[in-house]
């Protein structure tokens, strides 16, 4: 009875139990021409207030929120749910060289909101200064971005994280996409145009070489939030050939 609905409902728990990995949601806001920022890195704000409110609801359901070093530098985000949700997400910064600055909002609020820096062991001295500010540090020796994601996910599952959300930027989303780690997408599309060949698109990385390899969305849902379109869907991966 309702077997497909039941499987969808417990998908995060199933993945956590069978693969020792959290369920991964990818979230981004983009313009109608597919840009998540200008060529200068400016992105505040692409989406409207209704979309931002939906993002905060999503954050309140997460065990972890993941961003890259460039997003931490350019956006200086808090990455908290406002108002608070049923869960308090650990803020996870993928910063291989531990370049997060002491005056960033993430560091200044680390004593009240759990914050995890993920960096390479070669930059241990730089990371230790952030430990003094209240951050936890996870050292991953992988240099390749995809391998770094593969090593990260079991570590997060081991910290009892069942649901995590990747909020960018495009390089980090590309790494998750390239290793087929994204389970669900939440996309906010604003009726705006930026243009520019150097303006980033949502998913960088290596990508797929042929259209017949495209990852499909499973029963996508479309909702209008003011003048923004909100698309959410699970992803469908075809079995990889041996």
């Amino acid at each position: 009875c309702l077997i497909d609905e039941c499987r969808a409902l417990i998908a995060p728990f199933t993945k956590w139990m069978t693969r020792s990995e959290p369920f991964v949601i990818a979230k981004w806001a983009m313009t109608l021409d597919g840009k998540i920022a200008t060529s200068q890195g400016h992105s505040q704000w692409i989406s409207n207030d209704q979309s931002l409110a939906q993002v905060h609801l999503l954050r309140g359901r997460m065990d972890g929120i993941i961003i890259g070093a460039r997003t931490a530098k350019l956006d200086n985000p808090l990455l908290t749910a406002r108002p608070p949700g049923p869960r308090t997400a650990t803020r996870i910064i993928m910063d291989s060289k531990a370049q997060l600055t002491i005056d960033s909002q993430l560091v200044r609020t680390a004593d009240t909101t759990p914050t995890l820096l993920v960096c390479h062991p070669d930059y241990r001295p730089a990371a230790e200064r952030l430990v003094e500010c209240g951050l936890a540090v996870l050292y991953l020796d992988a240099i390749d971005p995809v391998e770094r994601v593969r090593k990260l996910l079991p570590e997060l599952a081991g910290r009892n994280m069942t649901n995590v959300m990747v909020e960018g930027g495009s390089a980090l989303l590309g790494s998750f996409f390239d290793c087929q780690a994204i389970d669900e997408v939440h996309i906010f599309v604003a009726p705006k145009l930026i243009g520019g060949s150097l303006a980033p698109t949502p998913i960088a990385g290596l990508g797929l070489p042929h259209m017949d390899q495209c990852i499909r969305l499973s029963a996508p849902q479309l909702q209008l939030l003011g003048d923004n379109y909100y698309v959410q869907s699970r992803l469908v991966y075809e079995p990889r050939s041996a």
Side-chain angles (χ1 to χ4, degrees), residues 144-146 170-171 173-179 203-210:
D144 178 73
V146 171
S170 61
L173 283 164
S175 298
F176 275 83
F177 181 83
D178 286 343
C179 65
I203 301 176
L206 297 175
L208 298 168
H210 300 289

Side-chain angles (χ1 to χ4, degrees), residues 5 13 60-61 72 82 94 125 143 147 149 154 167 186 213:
E5 289 82 354
F13 178 73
R61 293 168 33 203
R82 302 183 293 276
M94 302 290 287
I143 296 176
E147 184 62 25
V149 170
E167 291 207 19
H186 290 251
Q213 296 176 313

Side-chain angles (χ1 to χ4, degrees), residues 66-73 92-95 166-169 172:
I66 310 173
I67 62 169
R70 180 173 170 80
T71 298
K73 178 181 178 180
I92 303 163
I93 305 97
M94 302 290 287
D95 183 2
V166 185
E167 291 207 19
L172 182 62

Side-chain angles (χ1 to χ4, degrees), residues 14 29 32 38 42 69 96 99 107 139 145 155 170 174-175 183 186 230:
T14 301
L32 201 58
T38 69
H42 189 251
S96 293
Q99 294 177 318
V107 174
Y139 294 103
E155 291 283 349
S170 61
S175 298
D183 299 292
H186 290 251
Y230 172 36

Side-chain angles (χ1 to χ4, degrees), residues 69 94-100 117-120 122-127 129-130 148:
M94 302 290 287
D95 183 2
S96 293
K97 298 181 179 180
Q99 294 177 318
L100 192 64
L117 179 78
V118 181
C119 74
H120 194 278
D122 287 350
Y123 296 89
R124 189 179 297 268
R129 66 182 172 83
L130 296 171
R148 193 156 51 239

Side-chain angles (χ1 to χ4, degrees), residues 20-237:
S20 297
E21 294 180 357
F23 191 82
V24 177
I25 290 174
K27 165 262 165 185
W28 65 82
M30 68 181 185
T31 59
L32 201 58
D33 56 341
K35 308 295 185 180
I36 61 171
T38 69
S39 59
Q40 302 300 311
H42 189 251
S43 62
Q44 297 177 341
W45 297 99
I46 287 176
S47 54
N48 62 21
D49 290 343
Q50 294 98 315
S51 293
L52 290 173
Q54 182 63 37
V55 170
H56 284 287
L57 288 174
L58 287 170
R59 286 179 178 175
R61 293 168 33 203
M62 297 296 117
D63 298 310
I65 298 171
I66 310 173
I67 62 169
R70 180 173 170 80
T71 298
K73 178 181 178 180
L74 292 178
D75 293 353
N76 191 24
L78 270 173
L79 299 182
T80 54
R82 302 183 293 276
R87 302 186 186 189
T88 299
T90 296
R91 303 171 305 180
I92 303 163
I93 305 97
M94 302 290 287
D95 183 2
S96 293
K97 298 181 179 180
Q99 294 177 318
L100 192 64
T101 59
I102 298 294
D103 61 349
S104 70
Q105 292 196 99
L106 292 166
V107 174
R108 288 192 287 109
T109 58
D111 57 340
T112 58
T113 305
T115 308
L116 176 66
L117 179 78
V118 181
C119 74
H120 194 278
D122 287 350
Y123 296 89
R124 189 179 297 268
E128 288 177 350
R129 66 182 172 83
L130 296 171
V131 172
E132 297 173 359
C133 299
L135 280 76
V137 178
L138 170 62
Y139 294 103
L140 294 180
D141 59 3
I143 296 176
D144 178 73
V146 171
E147 184 62 25
R148 193 156 51 239
V149 170
R150 290 189 176 129
K151 288 191 173 185
L152 172 69
L153 293 177
E155 291 283 349
L156 298 184
R159 295 168 187 250
N160 291 324
M161 296 187 190
T162 57
N163 293 268
V164 299
M165 183 160 67
V166 185
E167 291 207 19
S170 61
L172 182 62
L173 283 164
S175 298
F176 275 83
F177 181 83
D178 286 343
C179 65
Q180 295 192 355
I182 298 173
D183 299 292
E184 185 172 300
V185 292
H186 290 251
I187 306 165
F188 301 86
V189 184
K192 301 174 182 178
L193 301 174
I194 289 178
S197 59
L198 298 181
T201 56
I203 301 176
L206 297 175
L208 298 168
H210 300 289
M211 284 300 297
D212 58 5
Q213 296 176 313
C214 287
I215 308 302
R216 295 186 297 110
L217 303 187
S218 173
Q221 301 177 43
L222 178 64
Q223 183 179 352
L224 194 60
L225 299 176
D227 63 352
N228 285 191
Y229 285 101
Y230 172 36
V231 181
Q232 57 177 305
S233 180
R234 299 274 171 94
L235 302 189
V236 179
Y237 293 103

